[in-house]
Amino acid sequence: MGKDVIVACDFPSAEDCREFLKKFSGVERKPYVKIGMELFYSCGPDIVREIKALGHGVFLDLKLCDIPNTVRRAMKSVSSLGADIVNVHAFGGIDMMRAAKEGIAEGGGSTKVIAVTVLTSIAPEKLGAELLIDRPLADAASAFALNVKTAGLDGVVCSVYEAGKIHGICGRDFLTVTPGIRFGGSDVGDQARVATPEFAKEQGSDYIVVGRPITKAADPVSAYTQCLAGFAG
Ligand code: C5P
């Protein structure tokens, strides 16, 4: 597992997503697909089964954050969908994260569970001002990562800038999945802590999550191939 480009399929409908994925039908290394809230809430769980049946790896980005019992039961439902990775927010605490893992096991599945440390859209100055966390961003991300490890989860979603430190603290096998990827000079959008595929490789990220730089590209297949070459080549 690891060293793959995950394409964030942030589309409003299953039809839009199918049309997009058709472009990749002749591509040798099929992209790993991230199904986020937009697609999941508009299409329901069948979209996970459909994309898995097309032969793609699936990261189900639901970012759950609720009381442990609710998260356990939600994960039990998710378990049978066959996603490869699903996630929660580390902010929900260690008990909630443990419950997420237990829910997957209770459902009989083997989906890996990872947790978001600090969203890549959060700039350092917002951490104290808006999230009321009074420590440097890299320290907060590492402290959350340690909680994630303590809870027995498989890894974290973090920015490229924290991936090396988190591997140092939590071990090389602890997955780092890093969004906020941009080609040099391209539009940052609502992201704050962005990095190129090449820099993500240097920092030891296991997976990069790339949305708009691929989905909105004039030629999505070549943008994907460029990402793959820069990150996993
Ligand atoms: O379009 P873009 O490349 O910015 O998309 C990044 C994707 O990664 C989005 O689907 C977003 O929800 C997700 N993500 C993120 N930061 C996190 C966790 C997930 O940007 N910390």
Side-chain angles (χ1 to χ4, degrees):
M1 207 148 174
K3 289 290 168 217
D4 225 332
V5 173
I6 303 180
V7 181
C9 286
D10 295 323
F11 294 109
S13 73
E15 199 41 53
D16 289 313
C17 187
R18 275 183 210 120
E19 279 305 308
F20 175 75
L21 290 177
K22 261 191 210 156
K23 300 181 201 294
F24 294 84
S25 54
V27 174
E28 198 189 320
R29 186 160 164 183
K30 274 185 191 291
Y32 215 100
V33 168
K34 183 175 86 74
I35 299 174
M37 296 181 208
E38 183 180 9
L39 198 55
F40 192 77
Y41 289 148
S42 71
C43 310
D46 279 346
I47 191 70
V48 179
R49 298 188 183 98
E50 181 179 333
I51 293 177
K52 277 301 290 180
L54 291 172
H56 297 275
V58 169
F59 167 27
L60 186 54
D61 182 19
L62 296 182
K63 296 193 184 75
L64 298 188
C65 192
D66 207 320
I67 59 171
N69 185 53
T70 302
V71 168
R72 174 187 291 103
R73 295 167 72 104
M75 284 296 182
K76 191 172 171 186
S77 299
V78 160
S79 187
S80 63
L81 300 180
D84 299 276
I85 308 175
V86 67
N87 66 354
V88 298
H89 269 289
F91 199 71
I94 294 173
D95 287 346
M96 186 209 76
M97 290 191 274
R98 279 203 183 106
K101 189 93 182 159
E102 285 162 14
I104 293 291
E106 282 169 23
S110 56
T111 306
K112 288 187 188 300
V113 185
I114 63 176
V116 177
T117 53
V118 179
L119 291 172
T120 44
S121 54
I122 299 291
E125 63 275 10
K126 287 189 180 172
L127 199 64
E130 295 182 20
L131 302 192
L132 314 180
I133 296 174
D134 284 327
R135 52 165 100 185
L137 204 147
D139 291 359
S142 302
F144 277 128
L146 214 47
N147 286 351
V148 177
K149 172 112 176 148
T150 303
L153 302 200
D154 302 285
V156 287
V157 183
C158 63
S159 93
V160 170
Y161 298 91
E162 293 114 37
K165 189 170 178 198
I166 289 175
H167 274 139
I169 295 169
C170 299
R172 193 62 199 85
D173 292 342
F174 191 70
L175 296 176
T176 53
V177 177
T178 59
I181 302 298
R182 293 293 180 266
F183 296 123
S186 70
D187 185 17
V188 165
D190 56 354
Q191 296 283 15
R193 286 144 44 231
V194 299
T196 60
E198 291 77 9
F199 187 64
K201 178 182 182 179
E202 264 170 53
Q203 297 303 304
S205 298
D206 294 298
Y207 293 90
I208 53 173
V209 178
V210 191
R212 289 160 289 184
I214 292 178
T215 57
K216 304 256 188 261
D219 182 348
V221 174
S222 99
Y224 166 70
T225 312
Q226 190 186 336
C227 274
L228 206 52
F231 179 64

